[in-house]
Amino acid sequence: MTFVKKINISSEAKLMGMDFYVPFLVILIAILYTCFSPDLVNLQYISRIIEFVVCPIAAWWPVYLFSERSVEKDKETNLNSKYATSALSYGLIRVTAFFLIFLAALYVLFFTITLRYPYPYISLLNLSVIYVPQTIVYCYLGFFLMVLSRNITVPLFILLAYVAFKYWTMGDNIIPLYNIMSFNIDMQLYPRIIVLAIKNAVVGLALASIGHFILYRRKI
């Protein structure tokens, strides 16, 4: 697995500058809001914060990994169709490495919620099923849009527009558009949410595969 060893998280973070800390800041704000929420009524607001702010920010690092410097770095790597593992390391493996960092921070938030609201139906398992598949979609959607457009404004605008539209409609099919969000305000598991989690996982993996295919065909 030599292509995994080539990933330098510290170097990538430095290249992102202050933008690297944005997901941590968003999760920290959610943690603070959870800690100082006065009662159970605020659980619905916490769920909204997670679905409409925290989960979408999972796309932040995948987008910035292929920002302005991507064209020059593509030339430096000089990959071609004979080096599929190099394309994999530069794309999916690198994105997934940062996604795992995001998940670690996200689980700090989950753990805080379970401590603040010690109810049987609010567990790490339930929170994982409800929200982790959503982050998978956003992560690889950001990756897909970025390698497709190579313009940082395109994925950021599309993601922001999508989240704003879904928040405004709360899942109503005014325009037939796939719902990544569960719109669950009590953090309990229901059959529809389990089905949605499976769909999100499949969609996320599909986006990851398509993004890798685009990267591979471009001989990055």
Short mmCIF file of all heavy atoms in Angstrom, two decimals, residues 83 87 99 147 153 172 190 202 215:
data_model
loop_
_atom_site.label_atom_id
_atom_site.label_comp_id
_atom_site.label_asym_id
_atom_site.label_seq_id
_atom_site.Cartn_x
_atom_site.Cartn_y
_atom_site.Cartn_z
N TYR A 83 -1.00 4.14 -14.54
CA TYR A 83 -0.75 4.28 -13.12
C TYR A 83 -2.05 4.53 -12.36
O TYR A 83 -2.26 5.59 -11.78
CB TYR A 83 0.25 5.42 -12.85
CG TYR A 83 1.59 5.17 -13.49
CD1 TYR A 83 1.92 5.78 -14.69
CD2 TYR A 83 2.50 4.31 -12.89
CE1 TYR A 83 3.15 5.54 -15.29
CE2 TYR A 83 3.72 4.06 -13.48
CZ TYR A 83 4.05 4.68 -14.67
OH TYR A 83 5.26 4.43 -15.25
N ALA A 87 -3.43 7.51 -9.46
CA ALA A 87 -4.66 8.27 -9.55
C ALA A 87 -5.54 8.02 -8.33
O ALA A 87 -6.17 8.93 -7.80
CB ALA A 87 -5.41 7.89 -10.83
N PHE A 99 -11.68 12.61 5.04
CA PHE A 99 -13.03 12.30 5.50
C PHE A 99 -13.00 11.58 6.84
O PHE A 99 -13.84 11.82 7.71
CB PHE A 99 -13.76 11.45 4.46
CG PHE A 99 -15.13 11.04 4.87
CD1 PHE A 99 -16.13 11.98 5.08
CD2 PHE A 99 -15.46 9.70 5.07
CE1 PHE A 99 -17.41 11.61 5.48
CE2 PHE A 99 -16.73 9.32 5.46
CZ PHE A 99 -17.70 10.28 5.66
N VAL A 147 -13.62 17.72 -9.25
CA VAL A 147 -12.81 17.16 -10.35
C VAL A 147 -13.52 17.34 -11.69
O VAL A 147 -12.87 17.37 -12.74
CB VAL A 147 -12.48 15.67 -10.10
CG1 VAL A 147 -11.67 15.50 -8.84
CG2 VAL A 147 -13.74 14.81 -10.06
N THR A 153 -15.66 27.56 -7.19
CA THR A 153 -16.95 28.23 -6.97
C THR A 153 -18.13 27.35 -7.37
O THR A 153 -19.22 27.50 -6.82
CB THR A 153 -17.02 29.56 -7.75
OG1 THR A 153 -16.86 29.30 -9.15
CG2 THR A 153 -15.93 30.52 -7.29
N ASP A 172 -40.18 19.06 0.89
CA ASP A 172 -41.33 19.04 -0.02
C ASP A 172 -40.83 18.99 -1.47
O ASP A 172 -39.89 19.70 -1.84
CB ASP A 172 -42.19 20.30 0.16
CG ASP A 172 -42.90 20.31 1.51
OD1 ASP A 172 -43.04 19.22 2.10
OD2 ASP A 172 -43.27 21.40 1.98
N TYR A 190 -36.20 5.30 12.30
CA TYR A 190 -37.45 4.82 11.72
C TYR A 190 -37.10 4.04 10.45
O TYR A 190 -36.01 4.23 9.89
CB TYR A 190 -38.38 5.99 11.38
CG TYR A 190 -38.70 6.88 12.56
CD1 TYR A 190 -38.04 8.10 12.75
CD2 TYR A 190 -39.66 6.51 13.50
CE1 TYR A 190 -38.32 8.91 13.82
CE2 TYR A 190 -39.96 7.32 14.59
CZ TYR A 190 -39.29 8.52 14.74
OH TYR A 190 -39.57 9.32 15.82
N VAL A 202 -25.10 4.30 -0.90
CA VAL A 202 -24.95 3.87 -2.29
C VAL A 202 -24.64 5.06 -3.18
O VAL A 202 -23.75 5.01 -4.05
CB VAL A 202 -26.22 3.15 -2.78
CG1 VAL A 202 -26.16 2.89 -4.28
CG2 VAL A 202 -26.42 1.84 -2.03
N LEU A 215 -11.12 11.47 -12.85
CA LEU A 215 -9.72 11.76 -12.53
C LEU A 215 -8.79 10.84 -13.31
O LEU A 215 -7.76 11.25 -13.84
CB LEU A 215 -9.52 11.58 -11.03
CG LEU A 215 -8.46 12.44 -10.32
CD1 LEU A 215 -8.71 13.93 -10.52
CD2 LEU A 215 -8.44 12.12 -8.82
#
